[in-house]
Amino acid sequence: MWRGKVDGGDDIVVRLSRRPGAAEGADREHQLLQQLEATPLTSIVNIPQLLHVGSPHERYPHRWSVLAWLDGRDAWTARHEIDHDSPRLGARLAEVVTAIGGLGHGLPVPKRAVGDEGVPIRPRIDLLLEQLDRVGPSAGHLFDVERVRQLAAEAYEFDDPTTTCFIHDDLIPGNLLVQEGYITGVLDWGNAGYGDPARDLAPAWSILGPKGRQVFREILAPDEASWARGGALELCHAVDAVLYFLPRRHAGGDVMAATLNRILADT
């Protein structure tokens, strides 16, 4: 992705996928973004605006795109200027999640299959435990393995979702834009689909502290089973990212380690 400016006007982003799979994913996301522009979501929060899609060329084999630049910094980069316990922040995130979940069932996105991030909890817990077995004792210097195993065992008792809705499915700090401590934009719609609404409870732990989390929960008012699943699904997400990214010294490891610490402190 390259940031540029058109004839001294507004800033733009030129997106050039490097791999065929990424190019296909970008095409799906572009189709979704065009439809999202006509929904009430855009009156609640900024999303990437697609300006142009270019054709493949002998020097570049994939479709490419131009999007409008969105001001702000991602919530991880801006973490030191965010009051994570702010009721205002908790309420704002609840507003965004409500708007996303209310978009209906007519959008060009997939439905989650069994074992995916957004549907039944048990296959996700199985994968988590397999990961821990595969990594072995070395995970102990990254997080409290026994506590994670305990939470995973408890998650086997959680009820599966009875309804699905449209979900963003990746509301991590890197995908949320912030200006002056206020959430103004949501990026990266490539994982969006129809699945368990509990998946979009992720900001409760990926962004918010205890007081902000309480406000977020009170406004959204999920049932106990959904709240428990949300924490368990984000536990799986965080452990997977920590095991993969931290040894590689990738920033994603620090982001998800912070999420994991909030989950462990909250349970």
Side-chain angles (χ1 to χ4, degrees):
M1 301 183 78
W2 297 81
R3 181 179 179 180
K5 190 180 290 289
V6 178
D7 296 331
D10 295 334
D11 285 5
I12 60 168
V13 175
V14 180
R15 182 176 183 178
L16 300 158
S17 301
R18 293 181 293 179
R19 297 181 298 275
E24 292 174 7
D27 282 342
R28 290 192 298 271
E29 184 178 1
H30 295 155
Q31 184 182 1
L32 173 61
L33 289 174
Q34 288 176 302
Q35 294 204 22
L36 288 178
E37 286 183 12
T39 70
L41 179 66
T42 54
S43 67
I44 303 296
V45 70
N46 295 324
I47 63 170
Q49 180 188 7
L50 184 65
L51 301 176
H52 177 76
V53 176
S55 301
H57 186 272
E58 61 181 10
R59 295 187 179 182
Y60 179 74
H62 310 302
R63 282 156 58 91
W64 51 279
S65 57
V66 179
L67 301 102
W69 175 262
L70 293 179
D71 287 329
R73 296 196 296 161
D74 71 83
W76 177 253
T77 303
R79 63 192 181 279
H80 298 304
E81 65 188 56
I82 294 175
D83 179 359
H84 299 274
D85 271 328
S86 164
R88 179 172 177 261
L89 179 62
R92 173 58 174 165
L93 283 164
E95 179 185 31
V96 171
V97 170
T98 298
I100 292 171
L103 288 175
H105 280 265
L107 294 166
V109 290
K111 294 182 179 179
R112 295 293 189 258
V114 173
D116 282 355
E117 291 281 7
V119 214
I121 186 73
R122 291 168 190 81
R124 294 296 306 151
I125 299 302
D126 289 339
L127 288 174
L128 170 62
L129 295 175
E130 288 172 13
Q131 279 182 304
L132 294 177
D133 290 341
R134 196 163 55 244
V135 174
S138 63
H141 73 282
L142 299 175
F143 52 82
D144 185 343
V145 175
E146 290 309 309
R147 181 62 178 141
V148 169
R149 285 187 178 276
Q150 178 187 351
L151 294 176
E154 293 172 0
Y156 274 114
E157 305 302 318
F158 298 159
D159 293 334
D160 283 327
T162 57
T163 61
T164 62
C165 70
F166 181 80
I167 55 174
H168 178 278
D169 201 26
D170 201 16
L171 294 176
I172 59 173
N175 290 334
L176 296 168
L177 288 180
V178 174
Q179 295 186 68
E180 298 180 356
Y182 188 72
I183 302 295
T184 58
V186 180
L187 307 177
D188 193 356
W189 294 83
N191 285 334
Y194 293 105
D196 183 358
R199 265 306 276 148
D200 277 357
L201 296 176
W205 303 278
S206 68
I207 300 285
L208 296 167
K211 294 179 182 177
R213 186 179 308 124
Q214 181 180 354
V215 172
F216 179 78
R217 183 177 185 179
E218 288 174 353
I219 293 174
L220 290 176
D223 57 46
E224 291 292 335
S226 295
W227 185 257
R229 277 197 317 277
L233 288 166
E234 198 58 13
L235 174 74
C236 296
H237 187 194
V239 168
D240 180 57
V242 166
L243 289 175
Y244 182 81
F245 287 123
L246 269 187
R248 292 166 173 78
R249 297 183 179 180
H250 188 286
D254 294 327
V255 174
M256 298 312 290
T259 299
L260 180 56
N261 288 337
R262 290 192 190 100
I263 294 170
L264 296 180
D266 188 45
T267 52

